Amino acid sequence: MKNPYLPMPMRIDHITVETSDGNIKTFTLSFIRDKDRQAFRFIPGQFAEVGALLLRPWRPKGSPSR
Amino acid sequence: VIINKNDVAAFLDGLRAEYRVFAPAVTDGVGGYRILAAGGDLAWGGVNTSRPPKEILFPQSEKLYSYRLGADGVEIQPHYDVERNIIFGIRPCDAKSFKHLDNVFLGQEYRDVYYQKRRENTLLIGMACLEPAGTCFCTWLGGGPFATDGLDLLWVDLGDRYLVQVLTPQGKALIEGRPFFLPATEADRRAASAAEARAKDRMRPAPDLSQVKPWLAASFNASFWEHVCEKCIGCAVCSYLCPTCHCFDLSDEAAGSQALAGARVRTWDTCAFPLFTLQASGYNPRPTGKERFRQRIMHKFCYFAENWGEAACVGCGRCIINCPVNLDIREVLAQIAAQAAGAGMSQ
C-alpha cells in the first residue's frame, strides 16, 4: 500500500550564497535512493515540501532531471 | 433478530476477544467513544456523545512515522494501526459522517493509508435514536434517526430487548453463531416501526435547502457575510467536534534531546483559527472572522457538495450544543435559504 506521507530522503550537494547579506541561498539536492529519483516529477509552480529534519518547508526550483 | 438486554454485556465480551470494541462512555464529564474494558460500563441511550467517533479513524493527534539519522542515512519507520475495531452504539448521523470522510481520505488518487487501514478494519453497530435532541437536524441533510447508511448492524431499543437489523455480510458474520440472538416477532417489528415514527415526529421540519448551494456559489462577496459571523469568537469548538471536519496540520517533534531523531505528527487543525492560513510572508488570505466563517459554511455546503454530491454536514447538532455564543448553523442555513428566495432563486 503506497503511503504518500513518507518522505524521500535527499542529500544537500551544494549550497550557493546568492546575496551579499547571505540571507538568500540556493540548495542543490539529489535523491539518495534511485527509485525516488526516477519516480519524482514536478511541473513549474507546483509546491513540494522539502524539509531538513525538524525544519520545513521550501519550494523546489529547477528541473528534476538535472 | 432480537437480543435481550441482559445478554448484551456477554455478547460484547465475546467480541472483545477478537476486536477492540469502542462504545459510548463519559470520561471527565465528557461523552465520547472509549475502548470497552472487561465488564465496562456503557453510557448508551439518551443523546449522542459530545465527542464524535471520527477520532477512532482520524485521531486528534497521531505519529505518522518516526525518523532517525543513522549510519546508513535516514531511517523512516511508519506507524500503522491495524487492530480490528467495532464501534458499538454509533448513531446514524455519525455513521454517515464516515462516508464523507471516506470521500476525503480515500476518494482521490492519493489514499490516506493511516485512515484506510483503520477504516477497513472497523465495523459499525449502530443505535437508532429514539429521542432525537432538540438540536438534531439529520433529516435536513438526508439522514434520519433510524437511517442505516454506512452501518453493518442497526439496533433498536425496545425496552427489555433490542431489535437487530442486519445490513451487511460483515454485520451478519458478527452475530452468526453467537447464542444471544433470537428470532424477532411481528410485535417486535411493529414496536420498532412505531418508535421510528415517534422519533421522526420529534424532528424539526426541514426548510427548503435546495437553493443553498447555488446561492453560496454566487455569493462569495455578498454583504451577508459581514453580519452573519458577528457573534462568532473563533473558538473552533464547532469544527473540532464536527464529525465531518477533517483539516489537519503536520509537524515534526524531536525525540527528546536527539536533534536528528523525531516523529512526523498529524494534528487536527481548523479554518476557524487565523494561523490556519497565515503565510510565512505575514500575509493572511482569511484575515478576519468574516472570511473564516464564510470558509466554514462554503466548504460544508458549497465546495464539498460540489465535489462529492452532498454537504459535509450530517445534522448531529454538536456545533449547536457546544457553541459558547449560541451561533446556530440551522439559523444560518435558514438565513441563506431566505437570501436565495429573496434573490429569486426559490424553486
Side-chain angles (χ1 to χ4, degrees), chain B residues 328-345:
Chain B
D328 189 328
I329 198 165
R330 293 171 301 183
E331 290 173 15
V332 175
L333 288 173
Q335 286 174 35
I336 291 171
Q339 292 277 329
M345 293 176 81

Side-chain angles (χ1 to χ4, degrees), chain B residues 264-287:
Chain B
R264 176 64 51 95
V265 178
R266 161 157 74 182
T267 311
W268 290 354
D269 202 350
T270 163
C271 59
F273 290 152
L275 284 178
F276 186 67
T277 44
L278 181 64
Q279 299 174 4
S281 65
Y283 173 69
N284 193 338
R286 296 186 203 138

Side-chain angles (χ1 to χ4, degrees), chain B residues 17-320:
Chain B
E18 300 167 50
Y19 297 90
R20 190 166 54 181
V21 178
F22 289 86
V26 176
T27 309
D28 297 331
V30 178
Y33 287 81
R34 300 285 176 269
I35 296 171
L36 189 66
D41 281 340
L42 291 166
W44 70 42
V47 296
N48 204 349
T49 56
S50 294
R51 294 178 67 99
K54 76 173 172 185
E55 61 191 328
I56 297 168
L57 303 182
F58 170 45
Q60 184 163 359
S61 182
E62 69 174 312
K63 268 188 197 177
L64 300 183
Y65 57 84
S66 298
Y67 54 77
R68 175 181 303 278
L69 190 61
D72 300 325
V74 182
E75 298 161 15
I76 305 286
Q77 181 62 49
H79 302 296
Y80 298 123
D81 178 358
V82 293
E83 287 220 36
R84 298 167 75 200
N85 300 319
I86 285 174
I87 306 179
F88 179 77
I90 188 171
R91 301 297 178 153
C93 55
D94 289 334
K96 188 176 181 191
S97 79
F98 287 179
K99 301 198 99 177
H100 293 320
L101 295 177
D102 289 348
N103 286 331
V104 174
F105 289 118
L106 307 177
Q108 298 169 92
E109 181 186 353
Y110 292 99
R111 293 182 157 221
D112 189 300
V113 292
Y114 299 93
Y115 178 91
Q116 185 174 13
K117 284 176 188 289
R118 293 192 182 94
R119 183 69 163 112
E120 288 175 351
N121 282 317
T122 301
L123 298 174
L124 306 182
I125 301 180
M127 188 65 68
C129 297
L130 296 190
E131 297 183 350
T135 46
C136 290
F137 62 111
C138 57
T139 50
W140 296 23
L141 283 310
F146 280 56
T148 57
D149 208 8
L151 292 170
D152 295 293
L153 298 172
L154 178 68
W155 289 27
V156 181
D157 189 338
L158 298 180
D160 62 346
R161 62 184 68 187
Y162 292 100
L163 180 73
V164 177
Q165 191 177 347
V166 178
L167 301 162
T168 64
Q170 293 86 348
K172 189 178 179 196
L174 272 184
I175 63 171
E176 254 176 2
R178 298 186 195 268
F180 313 109
F181 295 90
L182 308 167
T185 64
E186 193 50 41
D188 293 327
R189 280 187 278 273
R190 272 201 306 272
S193 294
E196 180 173 3
R198 279 195 303 274
K200 284 181 174 169
D201 276 350
R202 288 174 65 102
M203 304 293 298
R204 192 188 290 194
D208 176 11
L209 299 179
S210 62
Q211 299 307 306
V212 165
K213 179 169 159 279
W215 185 85
L216 288 172
S219 306
F220 189 79
N221 293 313
S223 59
F224 172 79
W225 302 110
E226 306 283 346
H227 307 292
V228 69
C229 66
E230 274 173 342
K231 63 181 179 178
C232 175
I233 58 172
C235 74
V237 72
C238 51
S239 59
Y240 276 117
L241 296 182
C242 175
T244 70
C245 276
H246 52 267
C247 289
F248 59 84
D249 194 13
L250 295 169
S251 56
D252 285 359
E253 289 185 355
S257 57
Q258 301 176 67
L260 296 177
R264 176 64 51 95
V265 178
R266 161 157 74 182
T267 311
W268 290 354
D269 202 350
T270 163
C271 59
F273 290 152
L275 284 178
F276 186 67
T277 44
L278 181 64
Q279 299 174 4
S281 65
Y283 173 69
N284 193 338
R286 296 186 203 138
T288 72
K290 173 190 134 183
E291 292 85 8
R292 296 192 283 273
F293 189 79
R294 179 177 63 195
Q295 168 62 21
R296 176 170 174 75
I297 300 299
M298 283 286 194
H299 190 188
K300 287 198 170 301
F301 298 100
C302 184
Y303 312 142
F304 200 95
E306 183 66 34
N307 289 336
W308 302 110
E310 274 191 295
C313 173
V314 293
C316 71
R318 289 184 176 90
C319 58
I320 303 168

Side-chain angles (χ1 to χ4, degrees), chain A:
Chain A
M1 199 179 286
K2 198 173 170 186
N3 184 345
Y5 291 99
L6 294 184
M8 301 170 172
M10 302 184 86
R11 184 187 306 107
I12 300 175
D13 289 333
H14 190 66
I15 301 174
T16 307
V17 178
E18 303 282 6
T19 54
S20 57
D21 63 7
N23 284 338
I24 297 180
K25 297 169 183 161
T26 295
F27 292 79
T28 307
L29 310 173
S30 61
F31 287 105
I32 291 172
R33 299 185 301 215
D34 201 45
K35 64 169 184 173
D36 291 341
R37 184 183 63 76
Q38 288 174 8
F40 187 75
R41 295 281 181 278
F42 71 86
I43 53 176
Q46 211 172 357
F47 183 86
E49 202 167 271
V50 180
L53 295 176
L54 296 170
L55 296 172
R56 71 189 176 96
W58 303 322
R59 191 192 310 268
K61 181 194 163 297
S63 165
S65 59
R66 258 189 263 156

